[in-house]
Amino acid sequence: MIRPAQERLFGVIGQPVGHSLSPIMMNRAFEVCKLPCHYLAMEVTELEGDLEILSKVGFEGLSVTVPYKEDVMRIISNVDADAAFIGSVNTLKRFDNGWEGKNTDWLGVIRALEEVSSLWTGKRALVVGAGGASRAVVFALRKMGMDVTVANRTIERAEVIGRHFSCRVISLEALQDLKTGSWDLIVQTTSVGMRGYDETRSPVPASLFSPKVVAMDIVYTPKWTVFLRDARERGAHIIFGSEMLLYQGAHQFEWWLGIRAPIEAMREALENALEAREVMESNG
Ligand code: ATR
């Protein structure tokens, strides 16, 4: 067993993680809390063996990202019940008998929404997309007591989520026929709108937005996706994609260290890094 003698070690594992913003956000949090901790981005290829090595080297906590959020559940000794139900783990903490895993994505969604209002029970929510991110979002909204509908291009994937989390299902095309006022909250969880993917489109008809709607995107590059631009034009309340990233990270910090995360400092670090990236990309 090796123990780092002067610093406590944390990090993110995935493939690729070269562009991860988590080190900037977490290291800023450690700095403002004056903690002797360090957070690294690490590309991992042999998940099981590499987790053992990281444990031996003395890492205390890890964020887990694509493509390991599901695979990691089969390797570690202890997965929390909510993460098991969602079907993915994004956070590991080292205990004496191995790694314990939980999912803070759904906790991040709840915290981002609670910043806007405390009255979510019974609200009607539309979640667009049926991938891994959608599962954590749907779980959070159901926990908050919302009436959830999932829309997806491939309807069968939406139906799997509908059965698992007890919510309604609708096809992406059917959204075109619906009127303003159908939903109080619309969450965009697909890759549509992401830089370099399908940046000029939104999967949600702009007619669904009004000043009574809260619109949340999980895409954070670019900051203003077409989905969020449409929502803003129609007066909806906006929650940027970086908020979920921020709050899932805040929950990780709090689980690892047992103290409140310095949210404002983390948000500032994240926003500065995203802005710098946008400037760099617009300059080619
Ligand atoms: P993640 O785990 O990040 O959510 P994923 O499992 O690949 O990623 O899911 C991506 C989501 O984006 C899916 O809902 C996908 O729809 P399908 O299930 O029909 O594939 C959705 N998506 C990706 N590209 C899309 C597009 N061009 N139009 C509509 N939906 C799209």
Side-chain angles (χ1 to χ4, degrees), residues 46-77:
E46 309 284 338
L47 185 60
E48 189 161 7
D50 290 346
L51 274 178
E52 240 170 76
I53 294 170
L54 291 171
S55 171
K56 283 210 175 113
V57 168
F59 275 82
E60 290 181 44
L62 295 169
S63 311
V64 182
T65 188
V66 179
Y68 299 125
K69 285 180 164 193
E70 289 89 26
D71 292 350
V72 76
M73 292 178 43
R74 286 186 283 278
I75 293 172
I76 60 175
S77 46

Side-chain angles (χ1 to χ4, degrees), residues 176-187:
Q176 304 292 340
D177 306 325
L178 293 166
K179 290 185 211 63
T180 316
S182 302
W183 283 289
D184 307 300
L185 169 69
I186 304 178
V187 188

Side-chain angles (χ1 to χ4, degrees), residues 129-134 152-154 157 172 189-192 197-198 201:
S134 166
N152 196 47
R153 177 178 62 180
T154 312
R157 285 187 88 190
L172 219 44
T189 75
T190 76
S191 8
V192 179
Y197 181 68
D198 211 346
R201 280 199 328 118

Side-chain angles (χ1 to χ4, degrees), residues 8 10 30 35 37 93 252-259:
R8 298 172 65 182
F10 300 87
F30 296 152
L35 295 166
C37 298
K93 182 172 173 174
Q252 296 184 323
F253 178 99
E254 289 170 1
W255 189 37
W256 293 332
L257 294 154
I259 58 169

Side-chain angles (χ1 to χ4, degrees), residues 11-12 128 132 180 194 232 256:
V12 55
V128 183
T180 316
M194 209 179 266
R232 177 179 60 177
W256 293 332

Side-chain angles (χ1 to χ4, degrees), residues 191-202 221-222 224-226:
S191 8
V192 179
M194 209 179 266
R195 173 146 304 140
Y197 181 68
D198 211 346
E199 200 175 333
T200 56
R201 280 199 328 118
S202 162
T221 43
W224 284 103
T225 55
V226 176

Side-chain angles (χ1 to χ4, degrees), residues 5-237:
Q6 299 185 348
E7 278 193 314
R8 298 172 65 182
L9 295 180
F10 300 87
V12 55
I13 56 166
Q15 177 82 302
V17 289
H19 292 287
S20 172
L21 294 165
S22 297
I24 288 172
M25 178 171 76
M26 291 297 193
N27 285 322
R28 179 70 187 135
F30 296 152
E31 188 185 14
V32 297
C33 294
K34 298 190 168 47
L35 295 166
C37 298
H38 197 68
Y39 186 101
L40 295 165
M42 292 167 289
E43 250 146 37
V44 150
T45 50
E46 309 284 338
L47 185 60
E48 189 161 7
D50 290 346
L51 274 178
E52 240 170 76
I53 294 170
L54 291 171
S55 171
K56 283 210 175 113
V57 168
F59 275 82
E60 290 181 44
L62 295 169
S63 311
V64 182
T65 188
V66 179
Y68 299 125
K69 285 180 164 193
E70 289 89 26
D71 292 350
V72 76
M73 292 178 43
R74 286 186 283 278
I75 293 172
I76 60 175
S77 46
N78 210 322
V79 174
D80 124 291
D82 295 322
F85 190 72
I86 293 168
S88 74
V89 156
N90 78 324
T91 316
L92 300 178
K93 182 172 173 174
R94 203 194 60 208
F95 288 88
D96 289 343
N97 53 348
W99 295 104
E100 266 187 32
K102 79 186 213 175
N103 185 309
T104 67
D105 288 332
W106 72 277
L107 294 165
V109 172
I110 292 184
R111 201 133 144 202
L113 289 172
E114 281 177 345
E115 285 292 303
V116 174
S117 164
S118 52
L119 305 170
W120 288 103
T121 311
K123 298 284 184 196
R124 296 154 309 158
L126 172 67
V127 177
V128 183
S134 166
R135 294 176 71 88
V137 169
V138 169
F139 182 76
L141 307 190
R142 294 291 293 130
K143 276 262 181 187
M144 294 172 93
M146 289 191 226
D147 176 355
V148 180
T149 303
V150 178
N152 196 47
R153 177 178 62 180
T154 312
I155 192 74
E156 294 78 9
R157 285 187 88 190
E159 281 163 358
V160 170
I161 293 190
R163 281 193 295 272
H164 192 68
F165 297 98
S166 308
C167 52
R168 294 169 220 271
V169 169
I170 191 171
S171 73
L172 219 44
E173 303 87 67
L175 293 182
Q176 304 292 340
D177 306 325
L178 293 166
K179 290 185 211 63
T180 316
S182 302
W183 283 289
D184 307 300
L185 169 69
I186 304 178
V187 188
Q188 199 302 111
T189 75
T190 76
S191 8
V192 179
M194 209 179 266
R195 173 146 304 140
Y197 181 68
D198 211 346
E199 200 175 333
T200 56
R201 280 199 328 118
S202 162
V204 177
S207 56
L208 292 179
F209 298 118
S210 77
K212 289 188 184 149
V213 173
V214 174
M216 178 174 180
D217 205 335
I218 66 153
V219 172
Y220 53 85
T221 43
K223 178 174 184 173
W224 284 103
T225 55
V226 176
F227 169 82
L228 290 182
R229 280 178 202 278
D230 288 348
R232 177 179 60 177
E233 256 167 44
R234 296 197 176 225
H237 185 101

